């Protein structure tokens, strides 16, 4: 059975800012890393340096419509495309599938259904599309998919172990501080922020933001770590 990464990376192209912000908030709450763009040009610029597992695409967009964007990107085997549009006529659905959409949903969409569709599509991604990293806990090395080796401190090593072993998509600050230092207070909160900042600096050369911050909640991973 296909294994899902701890966190899926989602890109949304939608010119209705209110709807896009609702989607971003809900999908982030589900533990996904989400980026939002108002047109295909913004998406293309982002894709130069970033990976996307699932693309949620409106049809009526400025500059370049969703059908054209889907047709360009459908040749990528590491990307799944969801059309999300108000156009619900059979001819529109057929055009969407002909241009490479994996799923065609029309607005208003049920967010719970959308999450189920995203997770089902993610299971069809090739193994090479998943960002497999390795954590060597014994000698404290994090190894990237391109075989970069990042030396970790004892606390950094344990921090990543905690995140990768968590049943949820993130651990709270209190959980992390208690596991790392045996207590949670203003001092350990500061130490945790320093640890995350230092670790992100070490990982900067890999061009991957491995750690996701959940505002006022905690931290999670954006990668598949084994």
């Amino acid at each position: 059975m296909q294994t899902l990464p701890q966190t899926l990376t989602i890109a949304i192209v939608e010119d209705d800012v209110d709807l896009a912000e609702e989607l971003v908030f809900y999908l982030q709450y589900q533990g996904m890393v989400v980026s939002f763009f108002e047109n295909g040009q913004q998406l293309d610029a982002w894709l130069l340096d970033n990976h996307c597992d699932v693309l949620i695409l409106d049809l009526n967009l400025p500059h370049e419509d969703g059908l054209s964007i889907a047709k360009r990107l459908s040749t990528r085997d590491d990307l799944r495309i969801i059309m999300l549009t108000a156009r619900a006529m059979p001819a529109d659905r057929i055009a969407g599938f002909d241009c490479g959409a994996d799923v065609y949903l029309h607005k208003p969409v049920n967010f719970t259904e959308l999450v189920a569709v995203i997770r089902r599509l993610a299971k069809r991604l090739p193994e090479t599309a998943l960002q497999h990293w390795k954590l060597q806990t014994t000698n404290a090395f994090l190894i990237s998919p391109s075989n970069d080796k990042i030396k970790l401190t004892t606390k950094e090593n344990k921090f990543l172990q905690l995140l990768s072993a968590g049943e949820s998509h993130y651990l709270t600050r209190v959980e992390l501080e208690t596991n790392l230092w045996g207590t949670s207070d203003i001092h350990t909160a500061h130490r945790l922020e320093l640890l995350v900042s230092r670790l992100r600096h070490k990982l900067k050369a890999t061009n991957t933001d491995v750690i996701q911050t959940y505002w006022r909640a905690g931290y999670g991973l954006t990668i598949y770590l084994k």
Side-chain angles (χ1 to χ4, degrees):
M1 181 178 178
Q2 174 71 63
T3 303
L4 290 177
Q6 270 104 332
T7 306
L8 292 169
T9 301
I10 312 298
I12 300 171
V13 185
E14 170 62 68
D15 61 348
D16 182 339
V17 176
D18 289 337
L19 173 60
E21 289 180 347
E22 289 180 20
L23 287 169
V24 169
F25 178 83
Y26 189 81
L27 296 179
Q28 285 181 337
Y29 180 75
Q30 297 297 318
M32 302 177 192
V33 176
V34 189
S35 297
F36 153 57
F37 311 97
E38 294 186 49
N39 56 62
Q41 292 175 331
Q42 294 176 359
L43 173 68
D44 289 340
W46 180 80
L47 285 173
L48 291 175
D49 299 309
N50 295 275
H51 169 75
C52 175
D53 296 309
V54 178
L55 172 63
I56 300 174
L57 190 59
D58 188 16
L59 289 187
N60 298 319
L61 295 168
H63 309 303
E64 182 183 14
D65 68 19
L67 292 176
S68 175
I69 296 171
K71 192 170 185 178
R72 287 195 293 104
L73 297 179
S74 63
T75 57
R76 298 177 51 159
D77 62 0
D78 62 344
L79 175 67
R80 296 293 175 259
I81 299 174
I82 298 173
M83 290 284 192
L84 179 58
T85 175
R87 289 158 58 175
M89 296 297 291
D92 295 319
R93 295 173 61 86
I94 292 170
F97 288 126
D98 284 345
C99 287
D102 295 280
V103 175
Y104 193 103
L105 300 175
H106 57 83
K107 303 171 183 176
V109 68
N110 180 290
F111 284 9
T112 303
E113 178 186 3
L114 178 61
V115 169
V117 168
I118 290 172
R119 296 197 183 282
R120 179 171 60 83
L121 287 178
K123 291 180 180 179
R124 291 163 46 191
L125 289 167
E127 285 288 337
T128 53
L130 305 180
Q131 295 295 299
H132 286 272
W133 292 58
K134 294 180 182 179
L135 180 61
Q136 294 183 349
T137 57
T138 304
N139 53 6
F141 275 104
L142 180 64
I143 304 175
S144 75
S146 57
N147 212 35
D148 296 312
K149 297 183 72 174
I150 298 96
K151 182 62 178 174
L152 304 170
T153 66
T154 301
K155 293 298 184 185
E156 291 166 352
N157 188 13
K158 187 172 182 180
F159 173 78
L160 291 176
Q161 287 183 60
L162 290 168
L163 292 183
S164 64
E167 294 183 1
S168 176
H169 53 264
Y170 74 92
L171 290 180
T172 66
R173 294 173 183 271
V174 172
E175 289 172 323
L176 288 165
E177 291 166 27
T178 303
N179 276 282
L180 288 168
W181 294 287
T183 187
S184 176
D185 54 33
I186 189 171
H187 302 293
T188 56
H190 181 61
R191 293 172 76 179
L192 180 60
E193 289 178 2
L194 287 176
L195 184 153
V196 172
S197 176
R198 185 175 63 244
L199 188 51
R200 279 179 167 151
H201 181 73
K202 285 185 178 182
L203 296 168
K204 193 173 182 180
T206 68
N207 294 318
T208 303
D209 191 3
V210 169
I211 304 166
Q212 181 177 8
T213 300
Y214 291 87
W215 188 61
R216 291 186 176 179
Y219 296 99
L221 294 174
T222 67
I223 58 171
Y224 179 75
L225 187 59
K226 61 180 182 179

